[in-house]
Amino acid sequence: TPPRDAAAAKRRALEALQAISPAMEAVASREQQKVARLESLVLRAFAALEHRGLAIDEVGWRALVHEAAEKRDRARREVFLALEDVVSRDLFGEPDLSLDNDADVRAAIEKATKMPLPDVAKSTLKELDHPVGKALLGYREASKIVSTY
């Protein structure tokens, strides 16, 4: 509730100042004034978002996720096409390799390329002279979008 008079307003302001003084001293002792200033600058915007919410284009968002899921599935097929000679299939004809298991993926790529790989990091896959590198990068990128949103 708003204060009724100037004296009450002054009293509330002093109480607020006394309440935050220890925090401000801690900020100063840790040399975090720039961080505190930045947080203060965005406080109103975040308070407004908290109060009103954030408008989201749900149809557009769902379309983005759907498109990424299609890209992920296409890239997954490309990966397994590039590795078809080295990846076995299960009883239902599905490739018996998890593309999320880096150790198994690395072993399959090494078997397909007949070259040792230090890892299956993005930089390594970009340099790989084999179709599986590009396909796996596409799979990972699209999977990240699908799992995030």
PDB file of all heavy atoms in Angstrom, residues 3-11:
ATOM      1  N   PRO A   3       2.312   4.959   0.901  1.00  0.00           N
ATOM      2  CA  PRO A   3       2.345   5.710   2.166  1.00  0.00           C
ATOM      3  C   PRO A   3       1.311   6.834   2.141  1.00  0.00           C
ATOM      4  O   PRO A   3       0.981   7.384   1.102  1.00  0.00           O
ATOM      5  CB  PRO A   3       3.766   6.251   2.233  1.00  0.00           C
ATOM      6  CG  PRO A   3       4.305   6.151   0.852  1.00  0.00           C
ATOM      7  CD  PRO A   3       3.529   5.106   0.146  1.00  0.00           C
ATOM      8  N   ARG A   4       0.816   7.216   3.351  1.00  0.00           N
ATOM      9  CA  ARG A   4      -0.243   8.229   3.442  1.00  0.00           C
ATOM     10  C   ARG A   4       0.293   9.657   3.404  1.00  0.00           C
ATOM     11  O   ARG A   4      -0.399  10.563   2.983  1.00  0.00           O
ATOM     12  CB  ARG A   4      -1.025   8.016   4.733  1.00  0.00           C
ATOM     13  CG  ARG A   4      -1.741   6.699   4.740  1.00  0.00           C
ATOM     14  CD  ARG A   4      -2.376   6.453   6.092  1.00  0.00           C
ATOM     15  NE  ARG A   4      -2.701   5.039   6.187  1.00  0.00           N
ATOM     16  CZ  ARG A   4      -3.901   4.586   6.426  1.00  0.00           C
ATOM     17  NH1 ARG A   4      -4.889   5.411   6.638  1.00  0.00           N
ATOM     18  NH2 ARG A   4      -4.110   3.306   6.487  1.00  0.00           N
ATOM     19  N   ASP A   5       1.551   9.824   3.828  1.00  0.00           N
ATOM     20  CA  ASP A   5       2.093  11.185   3.845  1.00  0.00           C
ATOM     21  C   ASP A   5       3.600  11.146   3.597  1.00  0.00           C
ATOM     22  O   ASP A   5       4.194  10.075   3.490  1.00  0.00           O
ATOM     23  CB  ASP A   5       1.773  11.878   5.166  1.00  0.00           C
ATOM     24  CG  ASP A   5       2.270  11.095   6.374  1.00  0.00           C
ATOM     25  OD1 ASP A   5       3.401  10.560   6.316  1.00  0.00           O
ATOM     26  OD2 ASP A   5       1.541  11.011   7.373  1.00  0.00           O
ATOM     27  N   ALA A   6       4.203  12.294   3.520  1.00  0.00           N
ATOM     28  CA  ALA A   6       5.630  12.401   3.219  1.00  0.00           C
ATOM     29  C   ALA A   6       6.474  11.742   4.307  1.00  0.00           C
ATOM     30  O   ALA A   6       7.490  11.100   4.007  1.00  0.00           O
ATOM     31  CB  ALA A   6       6.027  13.863   3.033  1.00  0.00           C
ATOM     32  N   ALA A   7       6.086  11.883   5.559  1.00  0.00           N
ATOM     33  CA  ALA A   7       6.856  11.294   6.657  1.00  0.00           C
ATOM     34  C   ALA A   7       6.848   9.764   6.564  1.00  0.00           C
ATOM     35  O   ALA A   7       7.879   9.107   6.755  1.00  0.00           O
ATOM     36  CB  ALA A   7       6.296  11.745   8.007  1.00  0.00           C
ATOM     37  N   ALA A   8       5.708   9.204   6.221  1.00  0.00           N
ATOM     38  CA  ALA A   8       5.612   7.751   6.082  1.00  0.00           C
ATOM     39  C   ALA A   8       6.440   7.272   4.888  1.00  0.00           C
ATOM     40  O   ALA A   8       7.108   6.237   4.948  1.00  0.00           O
ATOM     41  CB  ALA A   8       4.155   7.330   5.931  1.00  0.00           C
ATOM     42  N   ALA A   9       6.424   8.036   3.812  1.00  0.00           N
ATOM     43  CA  ALA A   9       7.206   7.690   2.626  1.00  0.00           C
ATOM     44  C   ALA A   9       8.697   7.721   2.947  1.00  0.00           C
ATOM     45  O   ALA A   9       9.450   6.829   2.541  1.00  0.00           O
ATOM     46  CB  ALA A   9       6.885   8.638   1.480  1.00  0.00           C
ATOM     47  N   LYS A  10       9.109   8.738   3.688  1.00  0.00           N
ATOM     48  CA  LYS A  10      10.512   8.858   4.064  1.00  0.00           C
ATOM     49  C   LYS A  10      10.930   7.679   4.949  1.00  0.00           C
ATOM     50  O   LYS A  10      11.992   7.098   4.757  1.00  0.00           O
ATOM     51  CB  LYS A  10      10.741  10.179   4.791  1.00  0.00           C
ATOM     52  CG  LYS A  10      12.175  10.423   5.169  1.00  0.00           C
ATOM     53  CD  LYS A  10      12.340  11.770   5.837  1.00  0.00           C
ATOM     54  CE  LYS A  10      13.782  11.997   6.246  1.00  0.00           C
ATOM     55  NZ  LYS A  10      13.959  13.294   6.913  1.00  0.00           N
ATOM     56  N   ARG A  11      10.072   7.326   5.884  1.00  0.00           N
ATOM     57  CA  ARG A  11      10.348   6.221   6.794  1.00  0.00           C
ATOM     58  C   ARG A  11      10.489   4.899   5.999  1.00  0.00           C
ATOM     59  O   ARG A  11      11.414   4.130   6.224  1.00  0.00           O
ATOM     60  CB  ARG A  11       9.228   6.117   7.838  1.00  0.00           C
ATOM     61  CG  ARG A  11       9.541   5.255   9.019  1.00  0.00           C
ATOM     62  CD  ARG A  11       8.517   5.340  10.154  1.00  0.00           C
ATOM     63  NE  ARG A  11       7.114   5.349   9.728  1.00  0.00           N
ATOM     64  CZ  ARG A  11       6.342   6.451   9.690  1.00  0.00           C
ATOM     65  NH1 ARG A  11       6.822   7.628  10.058  1.00  0.00           N
ATOM     66  NH2 ARG A  11       5.084   6.371   9.303  1.00  0.00           N
TER      67      ARG A  11
END
